Amino acid sequence: MSSPQALPPLRLGIAGLGTVGIGTVKIVQRHADLIAARTGRGVEITAVCARDKTKNRDADLSGYAWETDAVALAKRDDIDIFVELMGGHEGAAKDAIEAALATGKDVVTANKALLAHHGHALAVAAEAAGRVIRFEAAVAGGIPVIKTLTEGLAGNAMRRVMGVMNGTCNYILTRMESAGLPYDQVFEEARQLGYLEADPNLDVGGIDAGHKLALLASIAFGTKVAFSDVVLEGIGRISIDDIRRAGDMGYKIKLLGVAQMTGRGLEQRMTPCLVPAGSPLGQLQGGTNMVVLEGDSVGQIVLRGAGAGEGPTASAVMSDVLDIARGTRLTTFGQPAATLKDATPAQVTVAAPYYMRLELLDKPGALAKITAVLGDAGISISRMRQYGHDDTSAPVLIVTHKTTRDAIDFAIEKLPATAVVNGDPVAIRIEEL
Amino acid sequence: MSSPQALPPLRLGIAGLGTVGIGTVKIVQRHADLIAARTGRGVEITAVCARDKTKNRDADLSGYAWETDAVALAKRDDIDIFVELMGGHEGAAKDAIEAALATGKDVVTANKALLAHHGHALAVAAEAAGRVIRFEAAVAGGIPVIKTLTEGLAGNAMRRVMGVMNGTCNYILTRMESAGLPYDQVFEEARQLGYLEADPNLDVGGIDAGHKLALLASIAFGTKVAFSDVVLEGIGRISIDDIRRAGDMGYKIKLLGVAQMTGRGLEQRMTPCLVPAGSPLGQLQGGTNMVVLEGDSVGQIVLRGAGAGEGPTASAVMSDVLDIARGTRLTTFGQPAATLKDATPAQVTVAAPYYMRLELLDKPGALAKITAVLGDAGISISRMRQYGHDDTSAPVLIVTHKTTRDAIDFAIEKLPATAVVNGDPVAIRIEEL
């Protein structure tokens, strides 16, 4: 609330001049007046860092000092905020953030992998140094979900946090459905469109989205980031058949992250789930992200927006920068790092309905045998649909009442002995919204 | 980032012990530990204020000092934040907030009407006193839209802000559709369910939602709150016929607020609009609220949640309280009040497609006459659908290409002279998403 002249400009050092870095440079340049009006002080870039100075980039960088070493940038005494947009969960990014904190800089980063692995240690270091680490851009791109969870819903005990937070996976799944194409073919399309990370398993294996979920869980439940406890399952085994059949039963398949504190510990899952086709999550198309936050007072808040891209991600970076310029000082995960608890990972996931797909052989009493196996596993059936036989087998779709993954696994183990099932049965959790 | 012992507890004085006031008391009582962990200091209630002390309320208030006069509460020297949950855009609420600021208290309020009328003057007073006024609960209940706009998207030049922000209107419109009931009957249902304000025109006339839009527009565009410039049109003239016919053409009817800065000034409308049935706004059912924020970098962010009710609104109040407890100090409308501009109200709304419904008499050449009138008005037709004649007239639905309200009004004025139209033609703007 100071007058625009009261404070000297806030000086940024930006490490990493890829899409997001350049997007950030552009906002600082384009919106200098708007930023000064909103924060009461100027925000300017002093220095930048990337390996190759000669590369053609879509912004005028001539006014900034250039470093080729991120640690050197972080240590410069003419920057106030070290903006880390390099990526990578070890190495230069980590070294540079540590150097920035040690030399008195605040840190703004988009690096979900680094924070998922080292977020707690970095939060401790930041608080010891009296500095802040902000990371809005690390989760769900332009959607201000870190702010919403840390501040907007701070009066709530959070019940559950859910999200579709990898646009590439959602693109693949919705494209498979709309074009009727198999996974491998759409995966290849996505690769050619440049949607996939260099290591595609970061996307389709759920790792990238799992990083994000672990960060949200820490804030929501006051626990130390525990990425290694996230149950990860990618989308590589989702078939076009299941997408179609799930649709027949009124569901969509999403790579859905779910974090909730249960009586038996913290459950963190990033796995394919079925969600009702008519729900906001079910209707999410293409690369868009969605986060669903459930608090004890607020009920359910849904946030939707672009999960990646130059503009949206740079918007999130700048949100953190403007907060700091305005004097907002927050702990990294919403409470002092020393008070974050070790979360016991839940060994048993919360019960849920499951979708099952079996290929039933054309034999007398086949269906009775299947239902008997399910009954023995304690699974009761909510809805079932059998399709006509083609050649030798017929698809059978089952939506169960609430049950456990253990019960489902037990049943799947017993099914081959019935000798009426062709191939591997499919079972996918239905997340209730 | 201070340790929990570093600061004395933050003391609240709560004026107004209706649903939201009691909801706020409950959160402070239930989540004392969680709040202390998140803010680094305690938050406690010192005193409360309501007229009738004997009324049975759903919370234990015995530990708090009691005032019957809100101004007296505001002036007490044992409170740090004056929490105004009384309502009313003049009188006690205004006097009390002014007294609170004058005696050095920060203010948290849910009072959209007061801020829509006096927000600028109060912002000036707050900044002169070095105090903050926060009002997350004033707009869209539990959805942290003030925070998202003021902070989360602060790096964006906002392009457009839209919202369905009156749950009662959305309840009425979606209930008319689902039950096939006329407006008057659903209005009466809503009244009996207690969904309507004492003056129902605040809801169905769009005034309440218009207040909210004016507050969002101020933050989004850096302009002084200008509620009197909001073009208001309620839902009272929406017929079940139009809801059905709009549905036939792929649209839903919503009481939609739209604010955007145009080359010809600030456009603020709270009027019934058609939106695509498949869009997030189109799919919004019942009392839920939705806000759509469009920024130049972030693109479109959609927020969805409960727009009213004890828990959600109290959650928003507590978000502001926790911000203050954490030391976050923001200007009321996102930049110093002295820098907010006077907005010229746009005299001409941005062009858009329109939905028209006419009852066409069964006369030769009737359709040709209609289309000629539209053509003379410079309106071109995108889609048209004519239904069968019953008795004497037949509904004709038209979706125009982009045109202006002036052109539509010109055409409607000329239509009676064709002598082929029965009753009053309907024209409703289609907001493009």
Side-chain angles (χ1 to χ4, degrees):
Chain A
M1 302 201 306
S2 320
S3 67
Q5 284 70 40
L7 289 167
L10 190 75
R11 300 163 301 174
L12 312 183
I14 300 180
L17 295 172
T19 308
V20 181
I22 293 299
T24 303
V25 169
K26 286 183 191 169
I27 295 180
V28 172
Q29 293 178 348
R30 186 169 73 237
H31 286 322
D33 292 347
L34 182 146
I35 293 167
R38 289 179 178 167
T39 65
R41 69 189 299 191
V43 169
E44 60 185 38
I45 297 165
T46 313
V48 296
C49 166
R51 248 167 279 165
D52 182 0
K53 191 170 179 175
T54 62
K55 191 172 165 185
N56 191 25
R57 293 183 173 91
D58 183 25
D60 176 7
L61 306 171
S62 59
Y64 314 140
W66 189 283
E67 300 278 359
T68 48
D69 173 36
V71 173
L73 176 67
K75 288 181 172 171
R76 286 177 71 103
D77 59 11
D78 58 0
I79 70 167
D80 303 303
I81 304 182
F82 178 67
V83 182
E84 187 276 301
L85 304 172
M86 308 156 65
H89 73 275
E90 302 287 350
K94 179 162 176 279
D95 295 343
I97 288 179
E98 288 169 346
L101 295 172
T103 55
K105 282 83 174 186
D106 293 323
V107 172
V108 171
T109 176
N111 195 332
K112 62 224 75 164
L114 176 63
L115 291 174
H117 286 94
H118 303 291
H120 185 66
L122 290 170
V124 169
E127 290 169 35
R131 296 291 105 197
V132 300
I133 300 176
R134 304 302 299 150
F135 58 97
E136 188 61 81
V139 180
I143 303 174
V145 58
I146 300 296
K147 179 170 282 291
T148 298
L149 192 54
T150 312
E151 304 169 52
L153 306 183
N156 289 263
M158 297 307 295
R159 297 210 186 287
R160 184 167 60 162
V161 171
M162 295 185 285
V164 170
M165 299 184 286
N166 183 281
T168 303
C169 288
N170 204 50
Y171 167 82
I172 291 175
L173 292 172
T174 54
R175 169 88 178 137
M176 283 171 70
E177 179 179 27
S178 63
L181 294 173
Y183 175 81
D184 290 342
Q185 193 171 336
V186 177
F187 176 89
E188 198 46 44
E189 272 186 19
R191 186 202 294 275
Q192 281 164 20
L193 288 164
Y195 290 179
L196 284 160
E197 302 270 358
D199 172 6
N201 197 42
L202 287 175
D203 288 313
V204 299
I207 298 169
D208 165 81
H211 289 153
K212 297 168 183 169
L213 184 72
L215 299 177
L216 294 182
S218 171
I219 301 168
F221 304 111
T223 50
K224 292 180 194 170
V225 186
F227 168 65
S228 59
D229 294 338
V230 178
V231 175
L232 290 177
E233 186 186 320
I235 61 169
R237 289 171 53 207
I238 301 297
S239 71
I240 178 69
D241 265 0
D242 282 313
I243 290 176
R244 283 190 185 130
R245 298 307 186 194
D248 290 352
M249 303 299 270
Y251 296 101
K252 302 278 183 183
I253 302 182
K254 298 290 172 191
L255 179 67
L256 184 68
V258 179
Q260 56 194 329
M261 187 59 77
T262 74
R264 291 184 278 192
L266 176 63
E267 185 173 329
Q268 298 181 88
R269 289 179 273 119
M270 181 59 67
T271 63
C273 287
L274 270 65
V275 295
S279 66
L281 279 168
Q283 288 160 345
L284 196 68
Q285 295 285 313
T288 311
N289 278 201
M290 181 173 285
V291 181
V292 179
L293 305 172
E294 294 176 353
D296 63 344
S297 291
V298 80
Q300 192 180 75
I301 296 286
V302 180
L303 312 176
R304 181 183 186 279
E310 175 182 311
T313 313
S315 165
V317 169
M318 289 307 295
S319 160
D320 287 338
V321 169
L322 268 75
D323 270 2
I324 293 170
R326 281 166 158 160
T328 300
R329 311 287 301 171
L330 298 171
T331 50
T332 311
F333 295 105
Q335 62 189 68
T339 67
L340 294 166
K341 294 184 194 72
D342 281 303
T344 312
Q347 296 305 315
V348 181
T349 56
V350 170
Y354 276 77
Y355 154 94
M356 299 186 76
R357 179 169 60 83
L358 315 166
E359 295 291 325
L360 212 59
L361 296 174
D362 190 5
K363 292 185 178 178
L367 205 52
K369 286 180 183 165
I370 298 300
T371 53
V373 168
L374 295 180
D376 290 346
I379 298 168
S380 69
I381 294 172
S382 166
R383 291 190 288 145
M384 184 159 58
R385 188 178 292 190
Q386 182 173 349
Y387 290 80
H389 285 263
D390 62 341
D391 298 337
T392 55
S393 72
V396 173
L397 308 185
I398 295 168
V399 171
T400 74
H401 284 291
K402 272 192 190 182
T403 183
T404 62
R405 182 76 222 185
D406 282 352
I408 294 285
D409 289 343
F410 179 84
I412 287 178
E413 202 171 293
K414 299 288 181 196
L415 282 171
T418 61
V420 298
V421 174
N422 192 16
D424 289 331
V426 170
I428 308 176
R429 181 184 174 94
I430 300 173
E431 191 68 26
E432 299 194 300
L433 304 181
Chain B
M1 304 201 306
S2 321
S3 68
Q5 283 71 41
L7 289 167
L10 190 74
R11 299 162 303 173
L12 311 184
I14 301 180
L17 294 172
T19 307
V20 181
I22 292 299
T24 303
V25 169
K26 285 184 192 169
I27 295 180
V28 173
Q29 293 178 348
R30 185 169 73 240
H31 285 322
D33 292 347
L34 181 146
I35 293 167
R38 289 179 178 168
T39 66
R41 68 190 297 191
V43 170
E44 59 185 38
I45 297 165
T46 312
V48 296
C49 166
R51 250 168 276 166
D52 182 0
K53 191 169 179 176
T54 61
K55 191 171 164 185
N56 189 25
R57 292 182 173 90
D58 183 24
D60 177 8
L61 306 171
S62 59
Y64 314 140
W66 188 283
E67 299 279 357
T68 49
D69 173 35
V71 173
L73 175 67
K75 289 181 171 170
R76 288 177 68 104
D77 59 9
D78 59 359
I79 69 166
D80 303 304
I81 304 183
F82 178 66
V83 182
E84 189 275 303
L85 304 172
M86 311 157 65
H89 73 275
E90 301 289 349
K94 179 162 176 280
D95 295 345
I97 288 178
E98 288 169 347
L101 295 172
T103 56
K105 283 82 173 186
D106 292 322
V107 171
V108 172
T109 176
N111 196 330
K112 62 222 76 167
L114 176 64
L115 291 175
H117 285 94
H118 304 290
H120 185 67
L122 290 170
V124 169
E127 290 170 35
R131 296 291 105 197
V132 300
I133 300 177
R134 303 301 299 149
F135 57 98
E136 187 62 79
V139 180
I143 304 174
V145 58
I146 300 296
K147 178 169 284 289
T148 299
L149 192 54
T150 311
E151 305 168 52
L153 306 183
N156 289 261
M158 297 307 296
R159 297 208 186 286
R160 184 167 61 161
V161 171
M162 296 186 284
V164 170
M165 297 184 287
N166 183 280
T168 303
C169 288
N170 204 50
Y171 167 81
I172 291 175
L173 292 172
T174 54
R175 169 89 178 136
M176 283 171 71
E177 179 179 26
S178 62
L181 294 172
Y183 175 81
D184 291 342
Q185 193 171 335
V186 177
F187 176 89
E188 197 46 44
E189 272 186 18
R191 187 202 294 278
Q192 282 165 20
L193 288 164
Y195 290 178
L196 284 159
E197 300 271 356
D199 172 6
N201 197 43
L202 287 175
D203 288 314
V204 298
I207 298 168
D208 165 82
H211 289 153
K212 297 167 185 170
L213 183 71
L215 299 177
L216 294 183
S218 171
I219 301 168
F221 304 111
T223 50
K224 292 179 194 171
V225 186
F227 169 64
S228 59
D229 294 338
V230 179
V231 175
L232 290 178
E233 187 186 321
I235 61 169
R237 291 169 54 205
I238 300 299
S239 72
I240 177 71
D241 265 1
D242 283 313
I243 290 176
R244 282 187 186 134
R245 299 307 187 193
D248 289 353
M249 303 298 271
Y251 297 101
K252 302 279 182 181
I253 301 182
K254 299 289 170 190
L255 178 67
L256 184 68
V258 179
Q260 56 194 328
M261 187 60 77
T262 74
R264 291 184 278 193
L266 177 62
E267 184 175 331
Q268 300 181 86
R269 290 179 273 118
M270 181 58 67
T271 63
C273 287
L274 271 66
V275 295
S279 67
L281 279 167
Q283 289 160 344
L284 196 67
Q285 295 285 314
T288 310
N289 278 202
M290 182 173 286
V291 182
V292 179
L293 306 171
E294 293 177 355
D296 64 342
S297 291
V298 80
Q300 192 180 75
I301 295 286
V302 179
L303 312 176
R304 179 184 189 277
E310 177 181 308
T313 314
S315 164
V317 170
M318 290 307 295
S319 159
D320 287 337
V321 169
L322 267 75
D323 270 2
I324 293 171
R326 280 167 159 160
T328 300
R329 313 287 300 172
L330 297 172
T331 51
T332 311
F333 295 105
Q335 61 189 68
T339 67
L340 295 166
K341 295 184 194 71
D342 282 305
T344 312
Q347 297 303 315
V348 181
T349 55
V350 170
Y354 277 77
Y355 153 94
M356 300 186 75
R357 178 170 60 83
L358 315 166
E359 295 292 324
L360 211 59
L361 295 174
D362 192 4
K363 292 184 179 180
L367 203 54
K369 287 180 183 168
I370 297 301
T371 52
V373 167
L374 295 178
D376 289 348
I379 297 169
S380 69
I381 295 172
S382 166
R383 290 190 289 145
M384 183 160 58
R385 188 178 293 191
Q386 181 173 351
Y387 291 80
H389 285 262
D390 60 343
D391 299 336
T392 55
S393 73
V396 172
L397 308 184
I398 295 168
V399 171
T400 74
H401 283 292
K402 271 192 191 182
T403 184
T404 63
R405 182 76 223 186
D406 283 352
I408 294 285
D409 290 343
F410 179 85
I412 286 178
E413 202 172 293
K414 300 289 181 193
L415 282 171
T418 62
V420 299
V421 173
N422 192 17
D424 290 331
V426 170
I428 308 176
R429 182 187 175 92
I430 300 173
E431 190 69 26
E432 299 194 299
L433 305 183

